Amino acid sequence: MLIGIALLIAFLVIVVLIIRGQSPIIMLLLLAVLWAAIAGIGIDDIQKKVIQGGGVTYASAVIIIVFGAWFAQVLIQTGIAESVIRSAVELAGDRPMVTAMIITLVTALLFTSMYGVGAAIAIAVIALPIMMGQGIPPYVAAPAFTMGIGAGTMVNLVQFGAFQKLFPDIKYEAPYLTYWAVGMAVYILVAWLLEFTYLRKLGTRRMSAVNVGDGEATQPRKRTPYYTYIVPILPVLMIMVLKWEIIPTFIVSIIVALVLTWPDRTLQGHVNLFNKTFFDAFPDIATIAALWTICGMIIIAGQTPEVAGALKPIFAPILPHTPLQAAIFFGVLGGIASIYRGPLVVIGTGAALLAIILANKEIPIPYLYAIWLAPTVLQGSMDPTNSWTLWTIGYTKVSHGQFLRTALPFGILMVAVNSAICYLMLGTLQ
């Protein structure tokens, strides 16, 4: 029991340090080593099993992230993503509320397959100036955009492929895919509710003091043909219809994107773009790649008999043991405990809780992934420490507090509703 208490204290100290701004990468690496050392695991096993074994085991998820970021760069640099956004916004005309809703919807559709902070910024420098240029207050424009990213992430191929390593046996197919799609729709509706609430109540005003972007990044490029607009969702369709694997779908989709925009460049230009987009993808995923690798170490450390045996008596009364308990647990805590990389963030300190829940073997893993998904995407779209959320807040000059006051209540609602739906749809499946 004393060892378990010491492990819990180490966990809580790391959570606090991350919330206070310390590097999650350094803190989580320290947690993995501390847990193993406190539990009495020898140095040789720490370096072989925890650090080397954990890093190698889960680092393969990074490869899928690379291909997702590569595909996102192709969509950006061929102009397809920008064309989709601008064409959709034209449908709204000069109606700010409709513009915000359309941008949320189109961003969600784009991020069913796009991934990476570079991709988010490339879309943001188009979408945010459009919204603020129509008088939408920055504190509404910012969550309208990031919630669109979160909604798309509910069915995002890159996230699914990466999380397959943490949640074995999950598959991109019904009935679980049906729930993920419903969860995406719920998040879009909640974002629309936010936009309706604030824009109807407060109206819109011209934000002359707001920098809505300048330079070439915000200048419209030549539109790609309408038939190219299918490319962003092509990977999802290929997996659902043809049952292909994730990496081949991205490779084929990249080639299709280049072929459909063939008139825009020479053969050598296509070859150069093919290479350039691949290299440009790596800066996008540097931080998330490190987090995935180190969280693998925490998972391995948490699953060792020494650590799991010491923590189980302490966490047993707190953590869920049935699907219904899981729905209540994540529905109530998922919105709050996922901000500032709190204890329910899987790629963060939540990796420790995941290790314990997996070791208990009480909740079916596909259901566990589904019920944890809403808090995960909330963190990816509302946590001010998340890369693209932080960038969006800085670009719109909205304070962290104002952003969270505007967005978080709706995020909490999204998590609660999706937790209930998840239990109703999947809770009784074995």
Side-chain angles (χ1 to χ4, degrees):
M1 181 62 70
L2 290 176
I3 293 174
I5 292 173
L7 294 174
L8 177 60
I9 291 173
F11 169 72
L12 294 175
V13 168
I14 293 298
V15 170
V16 171
L17 288 173
I18 291 175
I19 290 174
R20 291 184 140 190
Q22 294 299 318
S23 166
I25 295 172
I26 297 173
M27 292 297 101
L28 294 174
L29 176 59
L30 180 61
L31 179 62
V33 175
L34 276 178
W35 266 15
I38 292 171
I41 299 174
I43 294 177
D44 192 52
D45 282 340
I46 291 177
Q47 63 96 8
K48 283 182 180 179
K49 296 180 180 179
V50 176
I51 298 178
Q52 175 71 18
V56 170
T57 299
Y58 292 96
S60 60
V62 175
I63 302 301
I64 293 175
I65 295 173
V66 168
F67 276 90
W70 184 13
F71 177 62
Q73 284 296 323
V74 169
L75 291 180
I76 293 162
Q77 296 188 37
T78 57
I80 293 175
E82 179 177 341
S83 297
V84 171
I85 286 282
R86 292 194 182 279
S87 294
V89 168
E90 286 177 355
L91 298 175
D94 193 21
R95 294 173 292 175
M97 187 184 300
V98 179
T99 297
M101 290 179 171
I102 286 180
I103 285 178
T104 298
L105 175 62
V106 174
T107 301
L109 293 174
L110 287 171
F111 277 87
T112 58
S113 55
M114 293 178 71
Y115 197 83
V117 63
I121 292 173
I123 300 301
V125 296
I126 302 167
L128 292 173
I130 289 173
M131 286 191 283
M132 292 189 292
Q134 289 194 8
I136 296 174
Y139 64 87
V140 177
F145 173 68
T146 61
M147 290 171 79
I149 295 178
T153 309
M154 291 290 294
V155 297
N156 185 274
L157 287 175
V158 179
Q159 176 165 287
F160 166 80
F163 273 74
Q164 273 185 309
K165 298 298 298 182
L166 297 181
F167 296 86
D169 302 326
I170 60 174
K171 296 181 179 179
Y172 201 84
E173 59 186 33
Y176 295 96
L177 178 57
T178 305
Y179 162 68
W180 305 338
V182 170
M184 173 180 172
V186 169
Y187 205 173
I188 292 171
L189 290 174
V190 168
W192 285 356
L193 178 62
L194 179 151
E195 293 150 18
F196 176 81
T197 300
Y198 280 95
L199 297 183
R200 184 166 185 256
K201 178 182 178 181
L202 301 177
T204 59
R205 56 192 175 93
R206 295 295 167 188
M207 306 297 293
S208 57
V210 175
N211 176 15
V212 294
D214 52 18
E216 294 182 2
T218 60
Q219 298 304 313
R221 292 189 289 181
K222 178 183 176 183
R223 298 285 177 90
T224 60
Y226 288 119
Y227 53 75
T228 63
Y229 293 7
I230 191 66
V231 177
I233 62 170
L234 186 59
V236 174
L237 295 177
M238 290 180 67
I239 288 182
M240 292 175 59
V241 178
L242 302 179
K243 308 298 183 184
W244 278 36
E245 296 297 325
I246 294 175
I247 291 177
T249 63
F250 278 131
I251 293 175
V252 170
S253 299
I254 287 168
I255 294 172
V256 169
L258 294 174
V259 169
L260 294 182
T261 56
W262 188 269
D264 294 342
R265 59 192 70 85
T266 64
L267 176 60
Q268 187 60 48
H270 277 80
V271 173
N272 293 341
L273 184 61
F274 186 85
N275 291 328
K276 181 179 183 299
T277 51
F278 181 74
F279 288 107
D280 288 346
F282 281 87
D284 280 6
I285 54 94
T287 301
I288 193 67
L291 284 171
W292 268 102
T293 305
I294 292 169
C295 285
M297 300 175 192
I298 294 178
I299 294 291
I300 294 298
Q303 290 178 337
T304 59
E306 295 88 345
V307 174
L311 286 175
K312 190 171 182 179
I314 294 177
F315 280 101
I318 304 172
L319 296 181
H321 301 278
T322 67
L324 178 58
Q325 289 178 6
I328 296 172
F329 179 83
F330 287 102
V332 173
L333 299 178
I336 296 295
S338 298
I339 298 300
Y340 289 107
R341 298 194 180 274
L344 290 186
V345 180
V346 177
I347 307 304
T349 51
L353 295 183
L354 175 61
I356 298 168
I357 296 175
L358 290 176
N360 288 339
K361 298 180 180 179
E362 295 171 325
I363 300 174
I365 292 177
Y367 176 80
L368 180 63
Y369 172 72
I371 201 70
W372 212 321
L373 188 55
T376 299
V377 301
L378 180 141
Q379 188 276 331
S381 55
M382 292 188 184
D383 186 347
T385 68
N386 187 62
S387 298
W388 49 69
T389 306
L390 180 63
W391 184 92
T392 302
I393 291 172
Y395 183 84
T396 55
K397 296 181 172 57
V398 177
S399 68
H400 290 199
Q402 188 176 35
F403 177 85
L404 287 175
R405 284 193 300 272
T406 304
L408 189 56
F410 294 89
I412 292 172
L413 174 64
M414 180 276 295
V415 172
V417 171
N418 273 332
S419 296
I421 293 173
C422 183
Y423 177 73
L424 293 174
M425 293 182 65
L426 307 175
T428 57
L429 298 179
Q430 299 296 325

